[in-house]
Amino acid sequence: QVQLVESGGGLVQAGDSTRLSCVASGRNFINTAMGWFRQAPGKEREFVAARGDETYYTDSVKGRFAISRDIAKNSVFLQMNSLRLEDTAVYYCAADVRRTLKYGFSANYWGQGIQVTVSS
């Protein structure tokens, strides 16, 4: 059984930084992309970043967030800098992330989500 367990996040002030971590178990994701999505209150879940053979970011986080992976530990990380109020959301770790021209980014495996709240 595949499990993705997120850690990090919490309450941070605008302009500050925080780091999310995710460890996968039950399957090795060496040959597939892992990434992060988020869902803000009242909004749909949206893609944030993914890293496989290539690295992708949604426009609103480019230059502020950095995704990295530790292949040996089956882990993915999201360094979040210069946080804004609008970054407040539940962040979901995702594995086996795929991109299609028609549907954008999706994933076959999901973590339970972790709250990041940015305060002024």
Side-chain angles (χ1 to χ4, degrees), residues 9-36:
L11 178 63
V12 294
Q13 288 197 318
D16 283 353
S17 300
T18 194
R19 186 176 189 241
L20 303 181
S21 301
C22 173
V23 179
S25 61
R27 177 187 157 174
N28 197 308
F29 292 103
I30 288 178
N31 296 318
T32 66
M34 295 184 72
W36 296 90

Side-chain angles (χ1 to χ4, degrees), residues 50-94:
R51 184 161 181 163
D53 291 336
E54 299 183 51
T55 301
Y56 300 93
Y57 295 97
T58 191
D59 286 346
S60 64
V61 308
K62 285 180 181 177
R64 300 189 300 121
F65 290 11
I67 187 171
S68 61
R69 291 183 65 176
D70 185 332
I71 300 297
K73 295 182 179 179
N74 220 18
S75 299
V76 63
F77 309 94
L78 187 67
Q79 178 66 39
M80 307 163 65
N81 301 322
S82 302
L83 283 160
R84 304 169 180 170
L85 297 179
E86 55 265 35
D87 293 319
T88 295
V90 176
Y91 284 73
Y92 295 91
C93 176

